[in-house]
Amino acid sequence: MNDEPLTVYSKAGCVQCTATLRALDAAGIAYRVIDLTGDPVALENVKESGFLQAPVVEGAGNPWSGFRPDRIDELVKSRVA
């Protein structure tokens, strides 16, 4: 079981970011948000990692981008096990 908080790289006005944060809240999964619009270093790091879409979620094994309810469900199951 991994209780480390996730890092969610997000940006204002991003519908997929909002959906991801709401799903994580509903699942009771801890996270911290880094706003890509206000952090050029984080934005560059995300781009260098190959991600072109927000949100980017790290700290859950393999990072992912976009709203991925399937990955959030996997997190819930792994944290309960």
Side-chain angles (χ1 to χ4, degrees):
M1 182 163 100
N2 182 1
D3 290 329
E4 285 286 317
L6 303 177
T7 300
V8 180
Y9 296 92
S10 183
K11 61 182 186 173
C14 168
V15 174
Q16 291 191 45
C17 299
T18 301
T20 297
L21 297 177
R22 285 184 180 162
L24 292 171
D25 287 340
I29 297 174
Y31 60 88
R32 68 183 183 121
V33 176
I34 295 178
D35 183 358
L36 293 171
T37 58
D39 190 334
V41 173
L43 178 60
E44 189 59 32
N45 289 339
V46 165
K47 286 181 178 179
E48 286 178 0
S49 295
F51 294 108
L52 302 174
Q53 174 185 10
V56 174
V57 180
E58 289 186 338
N62 292 326
W64 77 82
S65 68
F67 178 52
R68 296 284 309 269
D70 59 320
R71 296 294 300 267
I72 295 168
D73 288 344
E74 288 174 17
L75 279 175
V76 170
K77 291 174 186 171
S78 72
R79 290 171 184 242
V80 173

